[in-house]
Amino acid sequence: MNYIRTIFDDICKNIGKKPILVLYGARQVGKTTLVKSVMAKFKNPLYLQGDDPKDALLIEGRSGRELVDIISGHDLTVIDEAQKVKDIGIVLKLIADNKKDAQIIATGSSSFELANKVSEPLTGRNRKFYLYPLSVKELVQAYGARVIKNNLEEYLAFGSYPQIANAKTRQEKISLVKELAGDYLFKDLFLFGGIRNPFTFEKLVKLLALRVGSEISYSELAKEAGISRGTVLNYVILLEQAFIAFRLRPLYTNKTKEINKSHKIYFYDVGIRNALIGNTDPIELRPDKGAIFENFFIAEMIKDRAYSGRNSEINFWRDRQGAEIDLVESSNAGKVIAAYECKWKETAAMPAPFKNLYPRATFTAITASNIVDRLVIGERANNRYNQ
């Protein structure tokens, strides 16, 4: 099934507002399918694939005038997997500087800075978009809420990459998620990330996967992985740049102190996380089901914030006595605060210390029974999504 991606209309509306639109996302997340859907709206688009040496050579090392000549006559130019093109940042800058009305979409499985160490920034010339594994909203739009609710445990085990979501059997899903979590997903990191020891890197990624939902110590991770603390932090940043994992920082009123506080690490896709630790068992059999469920919800909130364009901060909260909240979204300079606590089955209440600190904050306990409604329609959950 070709899914209707949430950002499709947003991308279409922004073509022409900036010379370059950049679509970031991990490998196999659906970038090519999305841009080809966008291309179908144009009369004479040009599609160049960075993975194809012939296409890459067509635009590598060209002058601005030559690049303009190549794209002239096309109402849209797509450069897919653009990080494979040598000095792609400079190529895009030359196009933008020499053709102010250019309409370019470039996609990348990792940031251009990671892939090519570009020295010429595209500041002011581009608009960035991010594509993630399928969201619950996108899945509901494709299959209906009842189907997603009935199959929630499947998404918690295998995640929601499009190819995996389309797989018909459990065994096929196991094979696909293992394949994706292997070298394929990390291919660009190994090629461009300056990783000298892939074995050590993979060991660190598995350690992070095992610590999902827990505050991490970079020093402890360094000791276990046999590398320096600085290397651990660099590897975590690489994982973020490749859209595989992300850090969640604590909610702290003193921003200087917040920098030194522990982080939590989550994966954009719980299926990838499960495959990395070699466990895709059903959720009910898992001792780590709480961490999986928490990761799933927080990743969905990250997607929703990105797609909706909300200008907010997402953090976790914990006090010195151990009271904690899994996710806090704050906006309007901290005047609007929404807190969420994830519990697989049981419910939860707002911790008294948090309520005392933030008396105007709203609180929602997220459980298996309400997560789909909360993610799809938030506080307006009602029966029309149970059809």
Side-chain angles (χ1 to χ4, degrees):
M1 173 182 286
N2 287 333
Y3 301 91
I4 299 173
R5 304 309 299 262
T6 302
I7 60 172
F8 174 84
D9 288 338
D10 201 17
I11 289 176
C12 291
K13 286 187 292 187
N14 276 278
I15 292 173
K17 292 184 177 181
K18 295 281 186 178
I20 313 293
L21 300 187
V22 184
L23 177 63
Y24 289 129
R27 284 178 169 270
Q28 296 295 300
V29 82
K31 299 186 301 296
T32 300
T33 301
L34 175 58
V35 294
K36 287 187 174 180
S37 296
V38 173
M39 286 171 59
K41 296 175 69 69
F42 291 80
K43 292 182 179 179
N44 187 29
L46 172 65
Y47 178 77
L48 300 173
Q49 190 170 358
D51 282 342
D52 186 330
K54 183 178 179 181
D55 284 356
L57 287 172
L58 181 65
I59 57 176
E60 288 177 355
R62 301 286 185 176
S63 68
R65 185 70 260 165
E66 289 172 326
L67 289 168
V68 170
D69 288 342
I70 290 169
I71 67 173
S72 291
H74 299 282
D75 48 0
L76 177 69
T77 299
V78 171
I79 307 174
D80 205 4
E81 295 298 341
Q83 77 275 2
K84 294 298 185 69
V85 178
K86 183 180 178 181
D87 296 326
I88 183 59
I90 295 173
V91 170
L92 293 175
K93 179 182 182 297
L94 287 171
I95 293 174
D97 288 350
N98 287 274
K99 186 173 174 57
K100 302 300 182 182
D101 62 346
Q103 297 191 155
I104 310 289
I105 299 177
T107 80
S109 296
S110 54
S111 72
F112 292 151
E113 288 77 14
L114 168 66
N116 296 282
K117 306 297 188 293
V118 174
S119 59
E120 293 287 344
L122 293 174
T123 303
R125 303 173 178 89
N126 75 107
R127 186 159 291 168
K128 298 179 180 66
F129 296 87
Y130 300 90
L131 188 66
Y132 303 99
L134 290 165
S135 69
V136 166
K137 285 186 178 180
E138 290 167 334
L139 290 166
V140 166
Q141 187 174 16
Y143 299 110
R146 178 169 294 172
V147 172
I148 304 308
K149 290 177 182 180
N150 291 340
N151 292 280
L152 178 61
E153 295 189 28
E154 192 170 287
Y155 295 111
L156 290 169
F158 300 109
S160 58
Y161 272 77
Q163 188 179 10
I164 295 168
N166 283 336
K168 302 300 183 184
T169 67
R170 178 178 178 82
Q171 190 54 51
E172 186 180 0
K173 289 177 185 290
I174 291 173
S175 298
L176 287 171
V177 76
K178 285 183 177 179
E179 179 182 309
L180 188 57
D183 289 346
Y184 191 73
L185 193 63
F186 301 107
K187 187 175 181 181
D188 285 339
L189 288 176
F190 292 144
L191 286 174
F192 304 114
I195 296 172
R196 298 178 181 178
N197 190 333
F199 174 79
T200 301
F201 176 75
E202 291 176 3
K203 182 178 180 180
L204 175 65
V205 174
K206 290 178 181 179
L207 288 172
L208 292 172
L210 288 167
R211 285 166 170 75
V212 157
S214 301
E215 294 182 56
I216 63 167
S217 164
Y218 293 113
S219 297
E220 290 179 7
L221 286 168
K223 186 176 180 180
E224 287 191 58
I227 52 180
S228 70
R229 185 182 184 279
T231 300
V232 170
L233 184 57
N234 288 338
Y235 283 173
V236 169
I237 291 171
L238 289 177
L239 288 170
E240 289 184 313
Q241 291 177 317
F243 311 103
I244 294 169
F246 60 92
R247 285 174 288 179
L248 201 65
R249 293 169 172 81
L251 180 67
Y252 207 78
T253 53
N254 187 321
K255 295 299 180 184
T256 302
K257 290 184 178 180
E258 181 179 303
I259 295 172
N260 296 319
K261 292 291 181 178
S262 297
H263 297 154
K264 290 186 178 183
I265 299 288
Y266 295 95
F267 286 75
Y268 282 111
D269 186 81
V270 291
I272 297 302
R273 179 266 176 186
N274 291 336
L276 286 168
I277 66 172
N279 190 344
T280 54
D281 289 345
I283 190 75
E284 287 289 3
L285 302 178
R286 304 286 294 270
D288 58 350
K289 52 180 168 285
I292 297 171
F293 187 65
E294 178 183 324
N295 191 147
F296 182 81
F297 175 74
I298 292 173
E300 286 298 312
M301 291 293 285
I302 294 289
K303 298 174 195 176
D304 187 64
R305 183 184 62 164
Y307 292 157
S308 68
R310 290 199 305 275
N311 184 20
S312 64
E313 291 189 16
I314 289 182
N315 306 92
F316 70 92
W317 176 85
R318 187 176 187 273
D319 68 7
R320 292 183 178 180
Q321 287 68 46
E324 60 183 327
I325 292 179
D326 293 328
L327 184 142
V328 179
E329 183 172 14
S330 55
S331 58
N332 194 17
K335 295 178 181 178
V336 179
I337 295 178
Y340 302 88
E341 182 67 16
C342 301
K343 300 291 184 183
W344 172 237
K345 292 296 185 183
E346 69 271 21
T347 188
M350 182 188 294
F354 184 83
K355 188 174 183 179
N356 292 335
L357 283 171
Y358 307 101
R360 295 184 179 181
T362 63
F363 179 84
T364 305
I366 302 298
T367 66
S369 62
N370 71 9
I371 186 172
V372 174
D373 289 330
R374 292 293 178 180
L375 289 171
V376 173
I377 49 177
E379 298 298 329
R380 304 187 310 277
N382 59 49
N383 290 332
R384 68 190 177 91
Y385 277 91
N386 294 323
Q387 302 300 315

